[in-house]
Amino acid sequence: MAAGDFYIRRNASDTTSVPNAGGGNEDAHWDTLVKDEGGIVSYTDPNLQLDIGTYLIMYSEYFDTTNTTNNERIEVQGEIHVSGTGVVGGYGQGYIRKSSGDQECCVRGQHILRVTSDNTDVFIRFYRTDNFTSGTVNRVSGNGGVIILELDNNDNFAFYSNSATHNLTATASTVNFNTNDRQDTGFSNNGSGVITITNAGRYLVSYSMDVSQTVTSREDCVAYLTVNGTSTVEVGTYSYCYLRGADGCQDGALTWAGIIDVAASDTIQVRGEVPTSATITVATTGRFQIWQIPSGGDECIINATNGD
């Protein structure tokens, strides 16, 4: 096993339904091996078993409903779990508003996981919080999958969370990632989620936040990275979610991962905002992770500059 090894499984045939809210969870089965480069994963359904190391875990799944009643509203949530620990991050959300045959959604998420003991079981969990009970909400076979990439396990990793909820409003704010879950040499936190990166280079960055609202209006929100202050948005780092505010659809996820290029002593932070006067709350389960890509690696960052 070595950095750069990867593992892919897919859902070729599973159409299991995600239970109604309060009725349990669907711990995802990935029935078909696509690629095993390096033997980094042992699979015992539904667990992806990992040894000591650092891994980027990404998942995506496609869902639909058998119900054809217009104006039914459904949402599906996803997250990454470690057996014996619980949810570690990787929040995702998909929303269905039944109308004119529109009855599908996709859920995706990611998390950088530092595994500290061999034979650690990881699994993907899907669940619902809406109040729809008139039909089933099913995985659609042939579309979803999980990808695990082994990263370099040297001391080049920072992992932050927020110990208190954070409110997103019409005034953009920095999410208060005030807890240093892991902070190797080369990173520092000002205590409020503004991270200074000591060394120039390219970094894999991931943020993932479970968000919610309590009112019945239609709301949406965005999150993004800024560099060296609050006004310069790092291109390509936006995430978005929609919270309908009806039929129990009060929850969402802001999630993004990608590569950024920084100079020595640059600062980065996750910021978010709501385009209305509403308040959307980031739960105390937010994740902000930064991993330095070793020198000598080959990466490509492409920006759209002409608006197409």
Side-chain angles (χ1 to χ4, degrees):
M1 299 188 298
D5 289 342
F6 63 96
Y7 181 90
I8 305 171
R9 293 191 76 90
R10 66 188 291 260
N11 172 20
S13 62
D14 191 352
T15 58
T16 303
S17 62
V18 181
N20 297 338
N25 310 296
E26 161 60 8
D27 294 339
H29 314 275
W30 309 103
D31 52 30
T32 301
L33 177 65
V34 177
K35 183 71 173 181
D36 183 0
E37 181 70 37
I40 63 173
V41 178
S42 298
Y43 184 72
T44 303
D45 187 31
N47 293 313
L48 301 142
Q49 192 174 84
L50 299 171
D51 288 340
I52 293 172
T54 303
Y55 304 88
L56 172 63
I57 303 172
M58 301 173 286
Y59 71 87
S60 177
E61 186 56 291
Y62 183 39
F63 297 88
D64 71 3
T65 176
T66 57
N67 183 276
T68 57
T69 304
N70 280 346
N71 296 319
E72 291 286 359
R73 298 172 179 90
I74 303 163
E75 62 183 19
V76 181
Q77 281 82 30
E79 55 194 25
I80 298 172
H81 280 245
V82 172
S83 294
T85 300
V87 59
V88 294
Y91 302 103
Q93 180 248 14
Y95 173 74
I96 300 172
R97 191 266 192 177
K98 288 292 291 76
S99 179
S100 304
D102 295 331
Q103 56 193 73
E104 302 88 14
C105 72
C106 293
V107 180
R108 61 157 299 276
Q110 80 289 323
H111 183 73
I112 302 172
L113 181 65
R114 175 69 57 98
V115 175
T116 57
S117 60
D118 288 343
N119 304 316
T120 293
D121 287 332
V122 179
F123 60 93
I124 313 301
R125 170 166 289 176
F126 298 111
Y127 63 97
R128 289 171 42 212
T129 55
D130 59 79
N131 59 24
F132 169 77
T133 58
S134 301
T136 60
V137 179
N138 308 312
R139 298 176 70 188
V140 179
S141 60
N143 295 279
V146 59
I147 301 170
I148 300 178
L149 173 66
E150 185 171 8
L151 306 178
D152 182 277
N153 200 39
N154 292 329
D155 293 336
N156 53 2
F157 181 50
F159 175 14
Y160 305 100
S161 58
N162 52 308
S163 63
T165 59
H166 180 88
N167 288 334
L168 301 179
T169 66
T171 301
S173 61
T174 298
V175 180
N176 187 17
F177 286 109
N178 61 328
T179 301
N180 302 344
D181 295 281
R182 181 184 178 98
Q183 185 172 257
D184 292 340
T185 301
F187 306 93
S188 62
N189 186 353
N190 74 342
S192 299
V194 179
I195 312 304
T196 299
I197 299 177
T198 302
N199 300 311
R202 288 189 167 175
Y203 290 78
L204 172 64
V205 179
S206 169
Y207 66 77
S208 176
M209 297 175 287
D210 185 12
V211 301
S212 64
Q213 61 139 322
T214 58
V215 299
T216 58
S217 56
R218 299 172 176 87
E219 304 297 344
D220 57 0
C221 57
V222 298
Y224 45 85
L225 295 180
T226 62
V227 178
N228 293 331
T230 60
S231 59
T232 304
V233 177
E234 183 69 11
V235 173
T237 64
Y238 275 94
S239 63
Y240 169 89
C241 73
Y242 174 73
L243 298 84
R244 173 57 182 87
D247 298 332
C249 296
Q250 309 288 126
D251 305 290
L254 292 167
T255 185
W256 176 87
I259 296 171
I260 64 171
D261 199 353
V262 301
S265 299
D266 275 357
T267 63
I268 65 172
Q269 55 195 290
V270 179
R271 291 177 62 80
E273 59 189 280
V274 179
T276 67
S277 59
T279 296
I280 292 177
T281 301
V282 178
T284 58
T285 51
R287 305 289 188 258
F288 182 21
Q289 302 172 294
I290 310 164
W291 177 77
Q292 184 177 15
I293 298 174
S295 60
D298 294 323
E299 310 87 36
C300 179
I301 302 174
I302 302 175
N303 294 333
T305 59
N306 60 5
D308 293 338

